[in-house]
Coordinates of all heavy atoms in Angstrom, one line a residue:
M15 N 85.4 224.3 64.8 CA 84.9 224.9 66.0 C 85.5 224.2 67.2 O 85.7 223.0 67.1 CB 83.4 225.0 66.0 CG 82.7 223.6 66.0 SD 81.0 223.6 65.9 CE 80.6 221.9 66.0
S16 N 85.6 224.9 68.3 CA 86.1 224.2 69.5 C 84.9 223.5 70.2 O 83.7 223.7 70.0 CB 86.6 225.3 70.4 OG 85.6 226.0 71.0
E17 N 85.3 222.6 71.2 CA 84.2 221.9 71.9 C 83.5 222.9 72.8 O 82.3 222.7 73.0 CB 84.9 220.8 72.8 CG 85.4 219.7 72.0 CD 85.9 218.6 72.9 OE1 85.5 218.5 74.1 OE2 86.6 217.7 72.4
D18 N 84.1 224.0 73.3 CA 83.4 225.0 74.0 C 82.3 225.6 73.1 O 81.2 225.8 73.6 CB 84.3 226.1 74.5 CG 85.1 225.6 75.8 OD1 84.7 224.5 76.3 OD2 86.0 226.3 76.2
D19 N 82.7 226.0 71.9 CA 81.7 226.5 71.0 C 80.5 225.6 70.8 O 79.4 226.0 70.7 CB 82.3 226.9 69.7 CG 83.0 228.2 69.7 OD1 82.8 229.0 70.6 OD2 83.9 228.4 68.8
A20 N 80.9 224.3 70.6 CA 79.8 223.3 70.3 C 78.8 223.3 71.5 O 77.6 223.2 71.3 CB 80.4 222.0 70.1
V21 N 79.3 223.4 72.7 CA 78.4 223.4 73.9 C 77.6 224.7 73.9 O 76.4 224.7 74.1 CB 79.2 223.2 75.2 CG1 78.4 223.5 76.4 CG2 79.8 221.8 75.2
I22 N 78.3 225.8 73.7 CA 77.6 227.1 73.8 C 76.5 227.2 72.8 O 75.4 227.7 73.0 CB 78.6 228.3 73.6 CG1 79.5 228.3 74.9 CG2 77.9 229.6 73.4 CD1 80.8 229.2 74.6
W23 N 76.8 226.7 71.6 CA 75.8 226.9 70.5 C 74.9 225.7 70.3 O 74.1 225.6 69.4 CB 76.6 227.1 69.2 CG 77.3 228.5 69.1 CD1 78.5 228.8 69.5 CD2 76.7 229.6 68.5 NE1 78.8 230.1 69.2 CE2 77.7 230.6 68.6 CE3 75.5 230.0 67.9 CZ2 77.5 232.0 68.2 CZ3 75.3 231.3 67.5 CH2 76.3 232.2 67.6
Q24 N 75.0 224.7 71.2 CA 74.3 223.5 71.0 C 72.8 223.7 70.9 O 72.1 223.2 70.0 CB 74.6 222.5 72.1 CG 73.8 221.2 72.0 CD 74.2 220.2 73.0 OE1 74.7 220.5 74.1 NE2 73.9 218.9 72.7
D25 N 72.2 224.5 71.8 CA 70.8 224.7 71.7 C 70.4 225.4 70.4 O 69.3 225.1 69.9 CB 70.3 225.6 72.9 CG 70.4 224.8 74.3 OD1 70.5 223.6 74.2 OD2 70.3 225.5 75.3
V26 N 71.1 226.4 70.0 CA 70.8 227.1 68.8 C 70.9 226.1 67.6 O 70.0 226.1 66.8 CB 71.9 228.2 68.5 CG1 71.7 228.8 67.2 CG2 71.7 229.3 69.6
L27 N 71.9 225.3 67.6 CA 72.0 224.3 66.5 C 70.8 223.4 66.5 O 70.3 223.0 65.4 CB 73.3 223.5 66.6 CG 74.6 224.4 66.4 CD1 75.8 223.5 66.7 CD2 74.6 224.9 64.9
E28 N 70.4 222.9 67.6 CA 69.3 222.0 67.7 C 68.0 222.6 67.2 O 67.2 222.0 66.5 CB 69.1 221.5 69.1 CG 70.2 220.5 69.5 CD 70.1 220.0 70.9 OE1 69.2 220.4 71.6 OE2 70.9 219.1 71.3
E29 N 67.8 223.9 67.5 CA 66.6 224.6 67.1 C 66.6 224.7 65.6 O 65.6 224.6 64.9 CB 66.5 226.0 67.7 CG 66.2 225.9 69.2 CD 64.8 225.3 69.5 OE1 63.9 225.9 68.9 OE2 64.7 224.3 70.2
I30 N 67.8 225.1 65.0 CA 67.9 225.3 63.6 C 67.6 223.9 62.9 O 66.9 223.8 61.9 CB 69.3 225.8 63.2 CG1 69.3 227.3 63.7 CG2 69.5 225.7 61.7 CD1 70.7 227.9 63.5
L31 N 68.2 222.9 63.4 CA 68.0 221.6 62.8 C 66.6 221.1 62.9 O 66.1 220.3 62.0 CB 68.9 220.5 63.5 CG 70.4 220.7 63.2 CD1 71.2 219.8 64.1 CD2 70.7 220.4 61.7
A32 N 65.9 221.6 63.9 CA 64.5 221.3 64.0 C 63.6 222.2 63.2 O 62.3 222.1 63.2 CB 64.1 221.4 65.5
G33 N 64.2 223.1 62.4 CA 63.4 224.0 61.6 C 62.9 225.2 62.3 O 61.9 225.9 61.8
R34 N 63.4 225.5 63.5 CA 62.9 226.6 64.2 C 63.9 227.7 64.4 O 64.1 228.3 65.4 CB 62.4 226.2 65.6 CG 61.3 225.1 65.6 CD 60.7 224.9 66.9 NE 61.7 224.3 67.9 CZ 61.8 223.1 68.1 NH1 61.1 222.2 67.5 NH2 62.7 222.6 69.0
G35 N 64.6 228.0 63.3 CA 65.8 228.9 63.4 C 65.4 230.4 63.5 O 66.2 231.2 63.9
G36 N 64.1 230.7 63.2 CA 63.7 232.1 63.1 C 63.8 232.9 64.4 O 64.0 234.1 64.4
A37 N 63.6 232.2 65.5 CA 63.4 232.9 66.8 C 64.6 232.8 67.7 O 64.5 232.9 68.9 CB 62.2 232.4 67.5
L38 N 65.7 232.4 67.1 CA 66.9 232.1 68.0 C 67.6 233.4 68.4 O 67.6 234.4 67.8 CB 67.9 231.3 67.2 CG 67.3 229.9 66.9 CD1 68.2 229.2 65.9 CD2 67.1 229.1 68.1
A39 N 68.2 233.3 69.6 CA 69.0 234.4 70.1 C 70.4 233.9 70.3 O 70.7 232.8 70.6 CB 68.4 234.8 71.5
C40 N 71.3 234.9 70.3 CA 72.7 234.6 70.4 C 73.0 234.1 71.8 O 72.5 234.7 72.8 CB 73.5 236.0 70.2 SG 75.2 235.8 70.5
P41 N 73.7 233.0 72.0 CA 74.1 232.5 73.3 C 75.0 233.4 74.0 O 75.2 233.2 75.2 CB 74.6 231.1 73.0 CG 75.2 231.3 71.6 CD 74.3 232.2 70.9
H42 N 75.7 234.3 73.3 CA 76.6 235.2 74.0 C 76.0 236.5 74.5 O 76.1 236.9 75.6 CB 77.8 235.6 73.1 CG 78.7 234.4 72.8 ND1 79.6 234.0 73.7 CD2 78.7 233.5 71.7 CE1 80.2 232.9 73.2 NE2 79.7 232.6 72.0
C43 N 75.2 237.2 73.6 CA 74.7 238.5 74.0 C 73.1 238.5 73.9 O 72.5 239.5 74.2 CB 75.3 239.5 73.1 SG 74.6 239.5 71.4
N44 N 72.5 237.4 73.5 CA 71.1 237.3 73.5 C 70.4 238.2 72.4 O 69.2 238.4 72.3 CB 70.4 237.7 74.8 CG 69.2 236.9 75.1 OD1 69.1 235.7 74.7 ND2 68.2 237.5 75.7
H45 N 71.3 238.6 71.4 CA 70.7 239.3 70.3 C 69.9 238.4 69.4 O 70.2 237.2 69.3 CB 71.9 239.9 69.5 CG 71.5 240.6 68.2 ND1 71.1 241.9 68.1 CD2 71.4 240.1 66.9 CE1 70.8 242.2 66.9 NE2 70.9 241.1 66.1
S46 N 68.8 238.9 68.8 CA 68.0 238.1 68.0 C 67.5 239.0 66.8 O 67.2 240.1 67.1 CB 66.9 237.5 68.8 OG 66.1 236.7 68.0
P47 N 67.3 238.4 65.7 CA 67.6 237.1 65.3 C 69.0 236.9 64.9 O 69.7 237.8 64.6 CB 66.7 236.9 64.0 CG 66.6 238.3 63.4 CD 66.7 239.2 64.6
L48 N 69.4 235.6 64.8 CA 70.7 235.3 64.3 C 70.7 235.1 62.8 O 69.6 234.9 62.2 CB 71.2 233.9 64.9 CG 71.4 234.0 66.4 CD1 71.7 232.6 66.9 CD2 72.6 234.9 66.7
K49 N 71.8 235.3 62.2 CA 71.9 235.2 60.7 C 72.4 233.8 60.4 O 73.4 233.4 60.9 CB 72.8 236.3 60.2 CG 72.9 236.4 58.7 CD 73.6 237.7 58.3 CE 73.7 237.8 56.8 NZ 74.8 237.1 56.2
V50 N 71.7 233.1 59.5 CA 72.1 231.8 59.1 C 72.4 231.8 57.6 O 71.6 232.1 56.8 CB 71.0 230.7 59.4 CG1 71.5 229.4 59.0 CG2 70.6 230.8 60.9
D51 N 73.6 231.4 57.3 CA 74.0 231.3 55.9 C 74.4 229.9 55.6 O 75.3 229.3 56.2 CB 75.3 232.2 55.6 CG 75.0 233.7 55.8 OD1 74.0 234.1 55.2 OD2 75.8 234.3 56.4
N52 N 73.7 229.3 54.6 CA 74.0 228.0 54.1 C 74.7 228.0 52.8 O 74.2 228.7 51.9 CB 72.7 227.2 54.0 CG 72.1 226.8 55.3 OD1 72.8 226.2 56.2 ND2 70.8 227.0 55.5
T53 N 75.8 227.4 52.7 CA 76.4 227.1 51.4 C 76.4 225.6 51.2 O 76.1 224.9 52.1 CB 77.8 227.7 51.4 OG1 78.7 226.9 52.2 CG2 77.8 229.2 51.9
T54 N 76.9 225.3 50.1 CA 77.0 223.8 49.8 C 78.1 223.2 50.7 O 78.0 222.0 51.0 CB 77.4 223.6 48.4 OG1 78.6 224.3 48.1 CG2 76.3 224.0 47.4
E55 N 79.0 224.0 51.2 CA 80.1 223.4 52.0 C 79.8 223.5 53.5 O 80.2 222.6 54.3 CB 81.4 224.2 51.7 CG 81.8 224.0 50.3 CD 82.5 222.7 50.0 OE1 83.5 222.4 50.8 OE2 82.1 222.0 49.1
L56 N 79.3 224.7 53.9 CA 79.3 225.0 55.3 C 78.0 225.8 55.7 O 77.4 226.4 54.8 CB 80.4 226.0 55.7 CG 81.9 225.4 55.7 CD1 82.9 226.5 55.8 CD2 82.1 224.4 56.8
T57 N 77.7 225.6 56.9 CA 76.6 226.5 57.5 C 77.3 227.5 58.5 O 78.1 227.1 59.3 CB 75.6 225.7 58.2 OG1 75.0 224.8 57.3 CG2 74.5 226.6 58.9
K58 N 77.0 228.7 58.4 CA 77.5 229.7 59.3 C 76.4 230.4 60.0 O 75.4 230.9 59.3 CB 78.4 230.8 58.6 CG 78.9 231.8 59.5 CD 79.9 232.8 58.7 CE 80.4 233.8 59.7 NZ 81.3 234.8 59.0
I59 N 76.4 230.4 61.3 CA 75.4 231.1 62.1 C 76.1 232.2 62.8 O 77.1 232.0 63.5 CB 74.8 230.1 63.1 CG1 74.2 228.9 62.4 CG2 73.7 230.8 64.0 CD1 74.1 227.7 63.3
S60 N 75.6 233.4 62.6 CA 76.4 234.6 63.1 C 75.4 235.5 63.8 O 74.2 235.6 63.5 CB 77.2 235.2 62.0 OG 76.4 235.6 61.0
C61 N 76.0 236.3 64.7 CA 75.3 237.3 65.4 C 75.7 238.7 65.0 O 76.9 239.0 65.0 CB 75.6 237.1 67.0 SG 74.9 238.4 67.9
S62 N 74.8 239.5 64.6 CA 75.1 240.9 64.2 C 75.3 241.8 65.5 O 75.7 243.0 65.3 CB 74.1 241.5 63.2 OG 72.8 241.5 63.9
G63 N 75.0 241.3 66.6 CA 75.1 242.1 67.8 C 76.6 242.1 68.3 O 77.2 243.1 68.5
C64 N 77.1 240.9 68.6 CA 78.4 240.8 69.2 C 79.4 240.2 68.2 O 80.6 240.0 68.6 CB 78.4 240.0 70.5 SG 78.0 238.3 70.3
E65 N 78.9 239.8 67.0 CA 79.8 239.2 66.0 C 80.3 237.8 66.3 O 81.3 237.3 65.7 CB 80.9 240.1 65.6 CG 80.4 241.5 65.1 CD 81.5 242.4 64.5 OE1 82.7 242.1 64.8 OE2 81.2 243.3 63.8
A66 N 79.7 237.2 67.3 CA 80.0 235.8 67.6 C 79.5 235.0 66.4 O 78.5 235.3 65.8 CB 79.4 235.3 68.9
F67 N 80.1 233.9 66.1 CA 79.6 233.0 65.0 C 80.1 231.6 65.2 O 81.1 231.4 65.9 CB 80.0 233.5 63.6 CG 81.4 233.3 63.3 CD1 81.9 232.2 62.6 CD2 82.3 234.3 63.7 CE1 83.2 232.1 62.3 CE2 83.7 234.2 63.4 CZ 84.1 233.1 62.7
I68 N 79.4 230.7 64.6 CA 79.9 229.3 64.6 C 79.7 228.9 63.1 O 78.7 229.2 62.5 CB 79.2 228.4 65.6 CG1 79.8 227.0 65.6 CG2 77.7 228.3 65.3 CD1 79.3 226.2 66.8
Q69 N 80.6 228.1 62.6 CA 80.4 227.5 61.3 C 80.9 226.1 61.2 O 81.8 225.7 62.0 CB 81.0 228.4 60.2 CG 82.5 228.5 60.3 CD 83.1 229.4 59.2 OE1 82.3 230.0 58.4 NE2 84.4 229.6 59.3
G70 N 80.3 225.4 60.4 CA 80.8 224.0 60.2 C 79.7 223.2 59.4 O 78.8 223.8 58.8
R71 N 79.9 222.0 59.4 CA 78.9 221.1 58.7 C 78.0 220.5 59.7 O 78.5 219.7 60.6 CB 79.7 219.9 58.0 CG 80.6 220.4 56.9 CD 81.5 219.2 56.5 NE 82.4 219.6 55.4 CZ 82.2 219.3 54.1 NH1 81.2 218.7 53.8 NH2 83.1 219.7 53.3
F72 N 76.8 220.9 59.7 CA 75.8 220.4 60.7 C 74.8 219.5 60.0 O 74.3 219.8 59.0 CB 75.1 221.6 61.4 CG 76.1 222.6 61.9 CD1 76.0 223.9 61.4 CD2 77.0 222.2 62.8 CE1 76.9 224.8 62.0 CE2 77.9 223.1 63.3 CZ 77.9 224.5 62.9
G73 N 74.6 218.3 60.5 CA 73.8 217.4 59.9 C 72.4 217.9 59.5 O 71.8 218.5 60.4
G74 N 72.1 217.6 58.3 CA 70.7 218.0 57.9 C 70.6 219.4 57.3 O 69.6 219.7 56.7
L75 N 71.6 220.2 57.4 CA 71.6 221.5 56.9 C 72.3 221.6 55.5 O 72.0 222.5 54.7 CB 72.2 222.5 57.8 CG 71.5 222.8 59.1 CD1 72.2 223.7 60.0 CD2 70.1 223.4 58.8
N76 N 73.2 220.8 55.2 CA 74.0 220.9 54.0 C 73.7 219.8 53.0 O 73.3 218.7 53.4 CB 75.5 221.0 54.3 CG 75.8 222.1 55.2 OD1 75.4 223.2 54.9 ND2 76.6 221.9 56.2
Ligands
LIG129 ZN1 75.8 238.0 70.0

């Protein structure tokens, strides 16, 4: 992910890491809820509204 993405999604990531992922809204279009897919390798957080997503290895999720 780019540094811009990291900034845009930072609040969302922090909420998910804090265990409060259920009520999150997309930072691009404000669609809610976001879809969170955890695999052993990566976490992907995606929006079904505008199809924005971020994926990577985020501490504590994998
Ligand atoms: Zn969206």
Side-chain angles (χ1 to χ4, degrees):
M15 64 187 180
S16 72
E17 289 189 16
D18 282 350
D19 277 345
V21 170
I22 290 167
W23 289 90
Q24 182 176 18
D25 288 348
V26 171
L27 292 173
E28 287 180 356
E29 289 295 303
I30 290 171
L31 289 171
R34 299 193 295 266
L38 294 171
C40 174
H42 290 279
C43 72
N44 214 35
H45 176 86
S46 183
L48 295 172
K49 187 165 181 277
V50 180
D51 292 313
N52 285 310
T53 70
T54 55
E55 298 279 308
L56 292 170
T57 297
K58 180 177 180 179
I59 303 157
S60 56
C61 172
S62 60
C64 68
E65 301 187 343
F67 71 92
I68 188 170
Q69 63 182 359
R71 296 168 182 261
F72 307 120
L75 289 177
N76 297 315

